[in-house]
Amino acid sequence: MEKSELLEKRIEELEKRILFLEDQIHIKPSTSPPHRPVIQQQEQTKEPVEWDVLIFQKILPPLFIVVFIMGVIWGFKAVSDYGFLQPIVKVIIGYIVGFVLIVLGIWQINKGRKNLGHMLLGGSIPILMLTTFAMHQLYDISGPTLAFILNLMWITLGVFLTFKYRSQGIGIVAIVGGVFVPFLIKSTSPNIPLFSLYETVLFTVFLWIALKYSYKVLYFISIVFLQVAILVFFIFTNVPDGYKWIAMLPIFVQHGALLAILLKTNQMLKEQAYTLFSIMLITAIWIRVIFTDNEATVLMTIITLIYGVCYYVNREDSIRAPIFIANASVTLLNIMQLQTDNLLFEGIIGFIFIYFFIYKKFKHILHLILLSISYIVAFYKVLSFSITGWVSWEMLHWTVFLIGTGYGIYLLTRLFKDKTILNIGVSFVAIMLLYYLHMIAVLVSGDSGSNMERVVTSSLWIIIAILFMVFNRISLPQGKYVGVSILFVTLAKIILFDISFVSVAIKALLFLVLGVVGLLVSRAYYKK
């Protein structure tokens, strides 16, 4: 009984303590079970395709505005063929059609049909330009100055409509037409400074519009079509040496503008970075084609210094820094080819390692691609080198290639932690080493004849097989398999190619040495 009384007292004390604690934290006791919020799983359902919107608002307007423009062109040709209208009447009708499309486009936009309205506005620009072209080129109603001014007006109108209605489609039509305006002007002596200035300003304006409103398609089209326009200009125009710097102004401005925008803005960074690298490649081609070697070297040096400074300032930027290194590597390799062609191969090998360490730091896939492409180029070039002397560029190229390949395989294995890379890489190095040693054997044998060459080659191969097995004992698990494989290759070479040409004494020596080495290897790796 005493125990039960004590237990009851303990329970009462505990209840008092609980009530006291609840009063302290202002929590009222609740006998209801805790409320568990019910999480409603919303089913992710795909929105059904709105076929009416897709067909009548997105597909039909651009398709049939193109059809309409083609109809206008064929209509001009038809009335010209049959002589129904005078040239001045055709031109007036063309301008009327263009302005009617503008009025209809604005009307459709005000009615809420934006896609159709944008297409009508966009279609008016090429019609106005084509009419101006016909007036100038086909009917000789106006001179080149008036035609150029009118086309500038239509391009300005396209820019205004793009701004006002935030339409990428109108901007695309305006830039495509605007880029080729100079080619629509008939002239016996093209004004190169005016052409360069016009194309430069046009590109800059539309590039700014594209970045301001994040118009990716307009961004790429403005870049591509400027390059196309300059290419067409150089193909069909005989540009004197004194004007080549002016004619190349749009290319340099484009490159500089893309670099400045990448440095200053954060819009479409990846697109900007890859575009800048592509433009760097194209700019390098332009420089090599248009300018002399010394001029090209100066330009490449300036570009290299600019990208070096840009990299230093943005060396921790994971997007900008890798692109700056890639662009600088393009110019440096060009400089090496222009001034020290014999060291170009070593430059390629050096940049392979630079690409590797940049990839390791930033994990930028572009540098892994550049690394692969550079190594393929180096591999292709090294196979074309035949070692003809102990002190020669070919000897240097082959030695650097083998050492670089071995070290590169080691780095890749450590980075990706994949034994497959090591297995394949060691086998590849062994094959290249056998070919290298064969060329060394040719140098060693000199004028002694082919028999000595065969003996020296087999001897060197046996030595390298032993070395691979020694490395197996140190730190190369694949060494014993590669070494044994080389021994088998050496044996096959002796049986298939050498045995018919060498003397009995040399045959005996080769087989004795190879047999002893094979038995020693078997004993070294024999396990009970």
Side-chain angles (χ1 to χ4, degrees):
M1 291 295 294
E2 292 179 356
K3 290 182 178 179
S4 62
E5 289 176 356
L6 289 172
L7 183 61
E8 289 177 357
K9 289 181 179 179
R10 293 289 301 272
I11 293 172
E12 288 176 359
E13 289 176 359
L14 289 173
E15 288 177 348
K16 289 179 181 178
R17 290 183 181 181
I18 291 171
L19 291 173
F20 175 77
L21 291 173
E22 287 177 348
D23 291 335
Q24 291 293 318
I25 59 176
H26 304 287
I27 296 178
K28 294 182 180 180
S30 175
T31 57
S32 61
H35 176 70
R36 295 181 181 179
V38 179
I39 301 174
Q40 296 181 352
Q41 295 182 350
Q42 297 180 351
E43 297 183 358
Q44 296 181 351
T45 57
K46 293 183 178 179
E47 295 182 0
V49 178
E50 297 183 10
W51 292 103
D52 287 351
V53 174
L54 178 64
I55 295 173
F56 296 104
Q57 295 185 24
K58 296 183 179 180
I59 295 178
L60 292 186
L63 174 63
F64 285 101
I65 196 65
V66 174
V67 173
F68 180 78
I69 294 171
M70 293 301 299
V72 171
I73 295 173
W74 285 108
F76 267 105
K77 188 176 187 319
V79 295
S80 297
D81 291 342
Y82 293 104
F84 290 151
L85 299 174
Q86 294 297 319
I88 187 66
V89 177
K90 301 173 192 175
V91 170
I92 292 173
I93 292 174
Y95 284 130
I96 290 174
V97 171
F99 286 111
V100 166
L101 286 180
I102 293 175
V103 173
L104 290 175
I106 295 172
W107 179 56
Q108 291 296 320
I109 291 173
N110 293 334
K111 289 291 185 179
R113 306 181 188 99
K114 288 187 177 180
N115 288 335
L116 178 58
H118 290 168
M119 289 303 104
L120 292 172
L121 292 175
S124 66
I125 305 300
I127 288 178
L128 293 172
M129 294 179 65
L130 287 170
T131 303
T132 304
F133 169 76
M135 178 180 68
H136 170 57
Q137 292 273 34
L138 301 180
Y139 307 135
D140 289 325
I141 296 175
S142 69
T145 303
L146 177 60
F148 186 75
I149 293 173
L150 287 174
N151 278 319
L152 281 180
M153 290 172 57
W154 312 142
I155 298 305
T156 305
L157 178 62
V159 173
F160 170 75
L161 294 174
T162 303
F163 264 113
K164 182 174 177 60
Y165 296 106
R166 303 291 191 269
S167 172
Q168 183 174 211
I170 299 174
I172 291 171
V173 172
I175 184 65
V176 172
V179 161
F180 294 106
V181 160
F183 302 100
L184 302 179
I185 307 302
K186 182 168 58 178
S187 177
T188 55
S189 56
N191 190 328
I192 297 175
L194 180 62
F195 169 81
S196 296
L197 181 62
Y198 168 80
E199 295 289 353
T200 301
V201 172
L202 184 71
F203 163 77
T204 306
V205 169
F206 278 97
L207 180 67
W208 178 74
I209 294 173
L211 289 172
K212 181 177 178 61
Y213 299 113
S214 298
Y215 292 156
K216 289 185 179 181
V217 178
L218 181 60
Y219 172 80
F220 290 116
I221 285 180
S222 63
I223 294 170
V224 171
F225 272 84
L226 177 65
Q227 293 284 339
V228 172
I230 302 301
L231 178 62
V232 172
F233 183 76
F234 271 96
I235 290 174
F236 292 101
T237 304
N238 184 19
V239 180
D241 288 341
Y243 282 94
K244 62 184 179 182
W245 292 93
I246 298 175
M248 284 291 291
L249 177 65
I251 299 297
F252 294 139
V253 171
Q254 183 186 66
H255 196 152
L258 293 176
L259 173 60
I261 290 169
L262 180 61
L263 289 169
K264 294 297 183 181
T265 66
N266 292 318
Q267 293 176 278
M268 304 187 304
L269 276 182
K270 288 186 177 181
E271 290 83 354
Q272 285 193 59
Y274 288 118
T275 303
L276 183 61
F277 176 70
S278 304
I279 290 300
M280 179 68 254
L281 295 176
I282 298 173
T283 303
I285 295 172
W286 275 113
I287 292 173
R288 295 295 300 272
V289 171
I290 301 300
F291 299 101
T292 64
D293 288 353
N294 290 332
E295 291 171 341
T297 301
V298 172
L299 286 171
M300 295 288 187
T301 303
I302 294 171
I303 295 173
T304 303
L305 292 174
I306 292 172
Y307 277 113
V309 173
C310 291
Y311 171 74
Y312 179 77
V313 174
N314 300 272
R315 56 188 178 276
E316 299 302 325
D317 193 310
S318 61
I319 294 179
R320 294 178 175 90
I323 293 299
F324 296 153
I325 286 291
N327 286 6
S329 70
V330 172
T331 54
L332 281 173
L333 288 173
N334 275 277
I335 292 171
M336 294 183 72
Q337 187 178 25
L338 288 166
Q339 299 299 323
T340 56
D341 188 47
N342 287 326
L343 287 174
L344 176 63
F345 184 82
E346 282 66 35
I348 294 173
I349 297 296
F351 274 111
I352 288 173
F353 287 100
I354 291 175
Y355 295 146
F356 172 82
F357 289 114
I358 294 295
Y359 173 77
K360 184 179 178 181
K361 180 178 180 180
F362 295 108
K363 296 296 184 291
H364 204 286
I365 189 64
L366 173 64
H367 287 80
L368 196 60
I369 296 172
L370 291 175
L371 184 154
S372 304
I373 294 173
S374 299
Y375 189 81
I376 292 171
V377 172
F379 175 70
Y380 174 78
K381 287 182 71 68
V382 81
L383 291 179
S384 65
F385 300 137
S386 180
I387 301 176
T388 57
W390 290 103
V391 181
S392 62
W393 288 111
E394 291 78 13
M395 176 67 80
L396 176 65
H397 297 336
W398 266 98
T399 305
V400 169
F401 177 79
L402 290 173
I403 295 173
T405 300
Y407 185 54
I409 292 168
Y410 167 74
L411 292 176
L412 288 172
T413 304
R414 290 194 61 183
L415 178 63
F416 294 106
K417 306 201 181 299
D418 188 353
K419 289 185 177 180
T420 305
I421 296 175
L422 186 61
N423 294 334
I424 297 174
V426 171
S427 302
F428 174 73
V429 170
I431 294 171
M432 298 302 293
L433 195 56
L434 293 182
Y435 182 61
Y436 173 75
L437 291 175
H438 168 68
M439 291 187 288
I440 297 297
V442 174
L443 290 179
V444 172
S445 60
D447 298 329
S448 301
S450 60
N451 287 342
M452 180 59 69
E453 175 191 321
R454 296 171 190 275
V455 173
V456 174
T457 299
S458 299
S459 302
L460 291 175
W461 285 9
I462 292 171
I463 292 171
I464 203 66
I466 295 172
L467 288 176
F468 268 107
M469 295 178 190
V470 171
F471 282 125
N472 169 249
R473 294 289 188 180
I474 301 173
S475 61
L476 191 65
Q478 297 81 4
K480 61 182 179 181
Y481 302 109
V482 174
V484 171
S485 300
I486 292 175
L487 289 179
F488 278 114
V489 170
T490 306
L491 178 62
K493 170 185 171 295
I494 293 172
I495 294 173
L496 297 176
F497 299 101
D498 298 345
I499 199 168
S500 303
F501 300 96
V502 297
S503 63
V504 176
I506 294 177
K507 291 177 187 177
L509 179 63
L510 288 174
F511 274 87
L512 283 172
V513 171
L514 193 58
V516 170
V517 171
L519 290 173
L520 290 175
V521 169
S522 176
R523 176 65 185 85
Y525 292 101
Y526 180 80
K527 294 182 180 179
K528 293 183 179 180

